């Protein structure tokens, strides 16, 4: 089963998917995390990805599809995959639909103003990639609870890069909700994390029963 978790930056896609993976056994695959993991290896590929991401641009479709296929294993699909950050536009949706079937689409709805405020509070571990923000705060400021790594703001979380990413979301990604309209569930993402997680889980159950 493939469940798309869609929503603008700051809507909590990553936090919701992480919580569901932990509590309900789904497999969370975030294309942003896969790309940042490649950057952390220090490879030449990682360096070219870093240049694109830091400017708030999009990485090439071919590369993303390659990374993704490596992770969409039969075991993961059996558990149920929460796909976060992909597809971002019609071309990527077509590429995905060619090889896999999407069973459920969750659209997290949030006004831009709240998304921007949340992102300005967001910090990420430089070592393991764990994210902290308004909902989840580290026990010690600036230090990752999981691995003790240093927490910093992501380069692409600057106001200019965030505005660019939100504009791209509204222009390119939102169109996909019409494409998947029969299986889209819209969820209010301004509520607290656990309420959003519960609403998303209920929506996934509805997808499962109507499949
Ligand atoms: P995210 O963590 O989802 O906000 O992604 C961070 C950055 O990774 C994005 O701003 C893009 O530069 C890149 N990225 C993530 N997913 C994709 C994708 N599906 N297609 C192209 N670029 C992507």
């Amino acid at each position: 089963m493939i469940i798309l978790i869609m929503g603008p930056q700051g809507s909590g896609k990553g936090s919701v998917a992480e919580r569901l993976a932990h509590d309900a056994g789904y497999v969370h695959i975030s294309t942003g995390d896969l790309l940042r993991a490649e950057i952390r290896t220090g490879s030449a590929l990682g360096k070219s990805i870093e240049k694109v991401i830091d400017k708030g641009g999009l990485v090439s479709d071919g590369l993303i599809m390659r990374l993704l296929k490596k992770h969409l294993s039969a075991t993961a699909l059996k558990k149920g995959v929460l796909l976060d950050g992909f597809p971002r536009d019609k071309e990527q949706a077509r590429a995905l639909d060619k090889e896999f079937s999407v069973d459920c689409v969750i659209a997290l709805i949030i006004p831009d103003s709240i998304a921007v405020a949340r992102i300005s509070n967001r910090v990420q571990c430089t070592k393991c990639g764990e994210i902290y923000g308004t909902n989840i705060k580290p026990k010690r400021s600036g230090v990752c609870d999981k691995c003790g790594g240093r927490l910093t703001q992501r380069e692409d979380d600057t106001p200019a890069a965030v505005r660019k990413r939100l504009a791209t979301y509204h222009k390119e990604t939102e169109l996909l909700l019409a494409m998947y309209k029969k299986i889209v569930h819209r969820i209010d993402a301004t509520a607290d994390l656990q309420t959003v997680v519960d609403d998303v889980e209920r929506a996934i159950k509805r997808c499962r029963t109507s499949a």
Side-chain angles (χ1 to χ4, degrees):
M1 179 182 209
I2 294 187
I3 303 139
L4 306 185
I5 299 273
M6 294 182 52
Q9 292 67 26
S11 59
K13 294 187 298 280
S15 309
V16 168
E18 274 297 297
R19 180 85 52 111
L20 279 174
H22 182 266
D23 296 352
Y26 291 103
V27 176
H28 174 205
I29 299 181
S30 148
T31 46
D33 285 350
L34 295 183
L35 293 167
R36 284 184 289 274
E38 185 66 40
I39 294 173
R40 281 197 294 275
T41 66
S43 67
L45 176 64
K47 290 206 165 68
S48 61
I49 293 173
E50 190 170 22
K51 278 190 199 142
V52 179
I53 290 191
D54 284 356
K55 289 196 190 109
L58 289 181
V59 175
S60 84
D61 291 357
L63 176 67
I64 301 276
M65 232 9 233
R66 255 194 3 246
L67 273 177
L68 201 57
K69 274 202 221 158
K70 265 198 341 210
H71 290 81
L72 286 174
S73 64
T75 324
L77 290 169
K78 203 166 161 209
K79 286 184 179 169
V81 169
L82 296 164
L83 195 49
D84 152 14
F86 188 94
R88 268 176 149 81
D89 57 25
K90 279 196 170 157
E91 283 67 40
Q92 292 189 351
R94 282 194 202 107
L96 181 67
D97 287 345
K98 245 191 221 164
E99 306 200 37
F100 300 94
S101 101
V102 174
D103 306 284
C104 191
V105 177
I106 303 295
L108 299 181
I109 310 292
I110 188 171
D112 281 4
S113 54
I114 301 183
V116 171
R118 281 187 181 174
I119 290 175
S120 59
N121 279 316
R122 180 161 82 175
V123 285
Q124 186 165 29
C125 177
T126 46
K127 229 161 118 189
C128 73
E130 185 73 359
I131 291 175
Y132 300 87
T134 329
N135 278 321
I136 306 165
K137 293 196 167 64
K139 291 194 186 83
R140 271 174 60 206
S141 165
V143 182
C144 179
D145 289 352
K146 265 194 173 169
C147 75
R150 194 166 50 90
L151 303 179
T152 57
Q153 189 174 45
R154 269 167 49 177
E155 289 286 342
D156 62 341
D157 278 353
T158 59
V162 170
R163 271 195 297 276
K164 186 168 169 187
R165 283 152 67 211
L166 283 172
T168 307
Y169 179 82
H170 293 308
K171 192 163 158 249
E172 316 260 354
T173 315
E174 242 162 27
L175 298 176
L176 302 184
L177 299 184
M179 211 171 131
Y180 291 115
K181 64 175 182 285
K182 288 195 181 137
I183 48 170
V184 168
H185 293 262
R186 288 180 163 74
I187 309 283
D188 172 14
T190 60
D192 66 280
L193 181 60
Q194 193 55 51
T195 305
V196 180
V197 168
D198 292 343
D199 289 347
V200 169
E201 209 171 358
R202 267 194 294 275
I204 296 175
K205 282 202 181 114
R206 283 206 295 278
C207 288
R208 278 191 190 280
T209 49
S210 62

